[in-house]
Amino acid sequence: MMVERIEFVVNGVQARVEVDSTTPLLAVLREALNLRGSKFGCGTEQCGACMVLVDGKPVYSCTREVGSVAGRTVMTIEALSHDDERHPLQQAFIDEQAGQCGYCLSGILISSVALLERNKAPTREEVIAALEPHLCRCGIHNRAIRAVQKAGTVLASAPSK
Amino acid sequence: MISNALPLSLVNNPLLSQWLAFERPGVVRITTGKVEIGQGILTALTQIAAEELDVEVEQIHLVSGETDSCPAEGFSSGSYSVSVGGGSLRIVCAEARALFLAALADRLGCTTADLAVERGRFLHAGQDCGHDYWSMAANVPLERRALGTTPAKRPADYRIVGRSLPRVDLPAKLRGGGFIHDMAPADCLHARVLRQPWRDAELVELDEAAVHKAAGAPIDILRIGNFAAFTSASEIAVMRAAETARLKARWAAGQQVSDNIGEAAWLKAQPSRDRTVETRGSGQVTAGTPVKADFWRPFLTYGSIGPSCGLAEFADGKLKVWTHCQGPAVLHEWIASALGMTLSDVIVFHRQGAGAYGHNTADDAAFDAAFIATRLPGRTVRVMWSREDEFEAAPVSPAMAIELSAVIGPDGRPSDWTTEIWSPPHAQRPGMNGNSNLLASYALPGAVPRKPIDDVAEDRGGGATRNALPIYDLPRHRLIHHMLPDVPLRTSSLRGLGAWANVYAIECFVDELAEAAGEDSLSYRLSMLSDPRAKRVLETVADMSGWFDKRNSDDGSACGIGFARYKNIAAYCAVIVEATVEETVRLKRIWCAADAGLVINPDGVRNQIEGAIIQGASFVLRESVRFENGRVATNSWQDYPILRFSDVPVIDIQLVDTPNEPTLGVGECGVGPAGAAIGNAVARALGVRIRKLPLTRENITSQLEQA
Ligand code: FES
Ligand code: FES
């Protein structure tokens, strides 16, 4: 294994790490960059807890090698809110109380960001398709679906920044 | 009220000062031994305390599960937390408020009837009198026993209880924070532990060179007896090391299990401790038509989305442990005993983890960290489990065989009913049966031999026998329980314990009896229920779903009903499921009505019930742990599919309003009824009863072939 210098943008900030390029992106985010919002659930692309956006697309950061994101843009849950200001998705999940233990939420919000980016009025079926990679053992599925739809409505009516 | 009528938590922690303090002005410090495991307990307890003290919710600073300052309240389990933990807090807060008002009345020379409290400030004849809890705290010592004699508020006067307060923990979690998994002190030493593949397995070979190589960064290997741990400043290095070790370690001896462990014939062939309990009625069996049905459920796992995590630090002879377990005070005691330390040298701090749903590996992870920390003083050790170990080494929820037999009288109703159950015990949490049950402790040299095990006592709701007594008016019921004490697996508690399988069996059987009697299954149930609350719940769900109109609709889908009162003492819950059976079972729609007595937080309760319904549906539709090569063979979500977004239908939940009844635990009430309703819908759609779970395509096909 060889340590390399890898650069990419995380949540709008340039990141520079020196790691073996086969290290999973999740490990780099959590350890080297101290961004612990993305969660480890399985390590094998089976639960979605680790979902992040790479160039706007949801990817499983638990298996994605950090070398492959060199020069790209990564977004994690930490980018959703600034100080006290909540992203409409976070607000909608609070409004719908879409959470029990909450461990799945980071990944679910990330996939929802990607969905709403391309479709602000998703049908129930469209939300389900976008969230299908995610497991939730607590059973917040219906609340999450409603929250995503609600956030879509808010985003659609908000002046774009 | 006499003291033995106090809730258990208060009997064990009798001083008011163990529960509350007025330290910082404007803030009430409430301490609880109950812990958040995703069920919203912290929010409910905050509401109860704020209500009785007449302070605002934001004035409550709740500290939970820290053994140096919180009351010891056993486990947060069995749907007891709100009724017992919350019930204690209600008494304590009402009593504290009364003490303050009495002291103030003395000082002002008035009666307490002239006084009121708002935001913790005291009003005399409606005017702020310049005193509050904090200014008077020095004059009102709380180091006194709770008597339980102060009347709590009447529900009609509630301002905070009964409202759907948003979850206090959710905002942080929606930012990606709030979990024990995210604690990473600067000097943190990451660790992974190699797990024994079966009970008492001996580690005969571990290729340490291969493990070091796989790590890709410097790691240390700690080997003692059959315990091996990998530590490093780099988490990814120990993950890689542990994965290689898991695949390469060679094991011998110990108690391997057979591939067919848990199958009905296997269960019935095991040594058992048997008992027969005449639960209702006695004497001569009445004449009539005998009927019988055999049901079976497999081993399940709790399957939390986040693998367990524990941290520990050992310095100057003192051990601190951070854990997301369900019973910090119990873990405290058993970590100390397993490490040969005195209790006062150990502190356990609860921090939130992923949902628990029962006895998971949180205690094990905490003990892993604690043990490693004692070997590496001065460092904070952080252990996390792998997904594979979560499946392979977690406690398992027992397989059960359930045989129901009844004698049907001339009125088409059972005049005699026997429930016969074969199952290993459903509880081996830390401390139960005098065993630590902490996984790593059994891999260490000099491990304390396991003491014989038993199931949960009937007065705690029973384990395998939970909900074995049908809720219906039966003149006669007999329970035969074959408790299997020698199954070499850590069989333990998963949401509802034996209840959901018993409810599945009973409710399916009742449907069969209704069908034999030529009656509508919901009306048939109503005719055997004299408890008005039970009836009302069933009638409500019938209305919600349009049960009586729907019955004859013929679009290939079918409806089924499931009903139970959890443990026959907690919440009532009735579920109707509409499903189709084509390639697989598809859920189209679910309705649920529940009666939980006084509800602290209605939306929280609906959230819990919906979660329980989805989990119950997942249990009966998909889940089963597989065994091979002497061990659990299931080790990924692919092997252990659970319900996903595309499987979950719209679910309507209605709470029957009974605010003047005591609070009934709700966390588990939906699991059994949901599964049973699915079983009944599937039977109606297929015309054949599926009695062997889960209701997968393979199981349905093979049972159709036999039918
Ligand atoms: S942790 Fe990446 S999919 Fe489960
Ligand atoms: S809220 Fe617990 S796993 Fe989704």
Side-chain angles (χ1 to χ4, degrees):
Chain A
M1 278 168 232
M2 229 180 55
V3 170
E4 286 171 54
R5 168 186 274 216
I6 297 162
E7 295 189 28
F8 53 103
V9 174
V10 186
N11 301 338
V13 178
Q14 188 73 31
R16 201 170 290 123
V17 292
E18 302 205 352
V19 287
D20 146 28
S21 66
T22 67
T23 308
L25 175 58
L26 179 64
V28 173
L29 291 170
R30 290 183 59 92
E31 280 195 71
L33 302 173
N34 200 27
L35 291 169
R36 296 175 185 272
S38 310
K39 302 290 179 252
F40 179 90
C42 66
T44 52
E45 304 189 356
Q46 292 182 27
C47 75
C50 63
M51 205 68 88
V52 301
L53 299 184
V54 173
D55 291 343
K57 288 210 187 60
V59 306
Y60 298 103
S61 66
C62 64
T63 52
R64 183 65 176 253
E65 293 183 1
V66 66
S68 77
V69 304
R72 297 176 189 264
T73 304
V74 176
M75 185 191 145
T76 70
I77 183 83
E78 282 89 349
L80 278 198
S81 49
H82 305 281
D83 303 320
D84 277 346
E85 200 187 317
R86 287 185 189 130
H87 186 278
L89 268 166
Q90 290 167 317
Q91 188 57 50
F93 272 68
I94 288 176
D95 294 344
E96 292 296 326
Q97 287 293 290
Q100 286 187 30
C101 79
Y103 200 83
C104 61
L105 290 175
S106 163
I108 286 177
L109 288 186
I110 286 293
S111 287
S112 304
V113 168
L115 169 68
L116 296 182
E117 194 57 46
R118 49 171 216 274
N119 177 1
K120 294 204 173 28
T123 61
R124 182 178 166 92
E125 286 62 39
E126 286 167 336
V127 179
I128 287 173
L131 298 186
E132 195 61 359
H134 297 274
L135 295 181
C136 172
R137 183 60 155 166
C138 294
I140 61 150
H141 306 77
N142 283 315
R143 286 171 182 254
I145 294 166
R146 291 199 297 271
V148 173
Q149 289 180 316
K150 189 167 194 173
T153 316
V154 173
L155 282 166
S157 63
S160 58
K161 286 194 199 160
Chain B
M1 207 187 285
I2 46 166
S3 71
N4 62 11
L6 293 172
L8 187 63
S9 290
L10 206 44
V11 173
N12 294 335
N13 307 274
L15 301 181
L16 299 179
S17 57
Q18 289 177 289
W19 299 84
L20 87 168
F22 300 93
E23 291 164 352
R24 271 183 294 145
V27 179
V28 189
R29 183 175 195 269
I30 298 287
T31 38
T32 174
K34 297 297 180 188
V35 294
E36 185 65 55
I37 49 172
Q39 84 284 42
I41 185 68
L42 299 188
T43 309
L45 294 178
T46 300
Q47 287 179 269
I48 291 172
E51 183 71 68
E52 292 301 333
L53 289 166
D54 280 321
V55 299
E56 294 306 309
V57 161
E58 2 9 299
Q59 291 179 278
I60 301 283
H61 170 56
L62 186 61
V63 179
S64 154
E66 303 196 349
T67 58
D68 59 339
S69 61
C70 297
E73 290 193 78
F75 296 102
S76 297
S77 67
S79 299
Y80 284 116
S81 296
V82 171
S83 52
V84 178
S88 302
L89 207 49
R90 181 179 295 120
I91 291 171
V92 165
C93 292
E95 213 154 303
R97 180 182 183 278
L99 289 171
F100 275 87
L101 291 189
L104 183 63
D106 257 6
R107 180 179 297 192
L108 301 181
C110 64
T111 70
T112 54
D114 301 330
L115 301 173
V117 189
E118 234 180 69
R119 296 188 61 88
R121 298 196 57 81
F122 300 140
L123 311 182
H124 179 225
Q127 299 297 314
D128 192 320
C129 65
H131 299 286
D132 57 29
Y133 282 124
W134 300 274
S135 66
M136 295 206 33
N139 310 325
V140 185
L142 296 174
E143 286 74 34
R144 53 185 287 163
R145 297 179 81 86
L147 302 173
T149 47
T150 305
K153 271 192 191 172
R154 289 177 310 144
D157 299 332
Y158 282 158
R159 310 171 298 125
I160 300 171
V161 163
R163 269 180 31 208
S164 292
L165 191 75
R167 284 275 295 263
V168 293
D169 53 330
L170 204 49
K173 290 173 175 177
L174 285 163
R175 291 164 177 256
F179 294 97
I180 188 172
H181 304 76
D182 308 329
M183 291 172 63
D187 70 331
C188 182
L189 194 61
H190 292 280
R192 291 291 186 278
V193 175
L194 177 65
R195 307 267 65 125
Q196 293 163 289
W198 51 80
R199 180 167 281 190
D200 301 333
E202 288 170 14
L203 181 56
V204 291
E205 194 187 308
L206 179 63
D207 182 347
E208 296 193 8
V211 172
H212 279 290
K213 183 154 181 276
I219 62 157
D220 289 310
I221 301 181
L222 175 66
R223 265 185 80 171
I224 303 160
N226 299 308
F227 178 89
F230 316 98
T231 58
S232 166
S234 157
E235 183 170 15
I236 188 72
V238 291
M239 279 171 74
R240 287 172 161 167
E243 178 58 8
T244 297
R246 187 177 78 86
L247 298 172
K248 296 213 159 174
R250 287 207 310 113
W251 303 87
Q255 304 182 54
Q256 297 199 24
V257 297
S258 58
D259 292 1
N260 66 342
I261 185 170
E263 287 176 7
W266 186 94
L267 290 171
K268 292 177 186 177
Q270 298 310 300
S272 63
R273 252 182 275 153
D274 305 329
R275 65 194 174 111
T276 301
V277 189
E278 299 291 340
T279 13
R280 223 174 255 175
S282 61
Q284 206 59 43
V285 175
T286 42
T289 319
V291 280
K292 187 172 179 306
D294 299 353
F295 295 86
W296 181 80
R297 58 151 287 190
F299 284 105
L300 299 191
T301 188
Y302 68 96
S304 174
I305 301 303
S308 286
C309 180
L311 289 88
E313 178 200 270
F314 184 67
D316 308 322
K318 305 271 183 197
L319 179 68
K320 290 183 185 165
V321 181
W322 293 266
T323 175
H324 53 106
C325 75
Q326 278 180 276
V330 185
L331 182 63
H332 179 219
E333 196 183 323
W334 286 90
I335 283 183
S337 108
L339 295 175
M341 294 180 66
T342 50
L343 262 186
S344 55
D345 286 337
V346 182
I347 307 179
V348 172
F349 301 94
H350 186 266
R351 294 293 181 265
Q352 295 188 38
Y357 327 112
H359 178 196
N360 59 8
T361 56
D363 303 281
D364 298 324
F367 181 71
D368 291 342
F371 174 72
I372 298 167
T374 58
R375 298 295 163 130
L376 302 166
R379 299 293 299 268
T380 306
V381 174
R382 176 185 181 274
V383 169
M384 190 153 160
W385 277 46
S386 68
R387 172 54 50 199
E388 291 76 9
D389 287 343
E390 284 287 338
F391 280 110
E392 292 175 356
V396 285
S397 166
M400 293 167 68
I402 304 165
E403 287 187 9
L404 302 181
S405 48
V407 176
I408 304 304
D411 61 349
R413 268 115 193 103
S415 55
D416 195 340
W417 179 309
T418 302
T419 307
E420 189 166 6
I421 297 170
W422 289 259
S423 172
H426 285 249
Q428 295 190 61
R429 292 180 188 267
M432 289 182 171
N433 306 298
N435 293 319
S436 86
N437 291 322
L438 297 168
L439 200 55
S441 73
Y442 298 95
L444 295 170
V448 182
R450 292 183 182 80
K451 297 189 178 68
I453 57 172
D454 207 342
D455 208 347
V456 181
E458 294 303 322
D459 64 0
R460 295 288 294 171
T465 58
R466 188 163 289 190
N467 276 88
L469 172 65
I471 190 171
Y472 303 104
D473 302 333
L474 300 176
R476 201 160 168 205
H477 179 265
R478 179 185 314 95
L479 169 67
I480 305 172
H481 179 200
H482 307 280
M483 198 280 288
L484 316 181
D486 299 331
V487 177
L489 294 170
R490 198 162 43 140
T491 58
S492 201
S493 306
L494 173 65
R495 206 172 194 171
L497 285 70
W500 72 261
N502 288 326
V503 169
Y504 183 88
I506 290 167
E507 288 294 285
C508 288
F509 196 51
V510 166
D511 253 39
E512 295 178 55
L513 301 184
E515 208 171 295
E519 292 179 37
D520 169 71
S521 59
L522 203 150
S523 312
Y524 184 80
R525 283 175 170 80
L526 287 172
S527 78
M528 296 194 295
L529 284 168
S530 43
D531 179 349
R533 292 176 76 180
K535 284 182 136 153
R536 184 148 162 230
V537 165
L538 271 173
E539 285 159 359
T540 306
V541 80
D543 279 352
M544 290 168 70
S545 63
W547 171 266
F548 291 105
D549 313 324
K550 215 177 230 92
R551 281 193 57 240
N552 300 322
S553 75
D554 196 28
D555 61 346
S557 68
C559 283
I561 184 157
F563 172 61
R565 180 179 192 190
Y566 184 55
K567 295 192 282 193
N568 288 329
I569 55 162
Y572 300 81
C573 182
V575 175
I576 288 177
V577 167
E578 185 176 0
T580 58
V581 189
E582 282 153 22
E583 284 276 281
T584 56
V585 179
R586 297 277 319 156
L587 305 177
K588 285 181 64 182
R589 193 71 196 266
I590 297 180
W591 299 266
C592 168
D595 177 351
L598 168 67
V599 170
I600 312 298
N601 185 321
D603 187 65
V605 164
R606 278 192 293 270
N607 203 349
Q608 279 295 295
I609 292 178
E610 179 153 342
I613 289 173
I614 293 171
Q615 203 163 69
S618 189
F619 290 171
V620 304
L621 287 173
R622 301 277 157 85
E623 299 182 28
S624 146
V625 171
R626 243 171 0 94
F627 297 84
E628 236 173 71
N629 301 321
R631 58 185 297 175
V632 172
T634 303
N635 63 19
S636 73
W637 290 116
Q638 218 149 36
D639 273 354
Y640 194 87
I642 60 173
L643 243 51
R644 313 184 70 95
F645 271 89
S646 60
D647 300 311
V648 173
V650 171
I651 301 174
D652 285 329
I653 295 169
Q654 207 168 300
L655 301 179
V656 173
D657 196 28
T658 49
N660 295 312
E661 299 288 346
T663 299
L664 301 175
V666 293
E668 293 153 291
C669 71
V671 182
I678 294 171
N680 284 330
V682 167
R684 204 170 272 184
L686 290 174
V688 173
R689 177 66 52 182
I690 308 297
R691 299 196 180 100
K692 186 177 166 209
L693 295 172
L695 301 170
T696 54
R697 193 172 165 206
E698 305 73 66
N699 271 345
I700 291 178
T701 317
S702 77
Q703 289 173 78
L704 282 179
E705 279 161 6
Q706 285 161 28

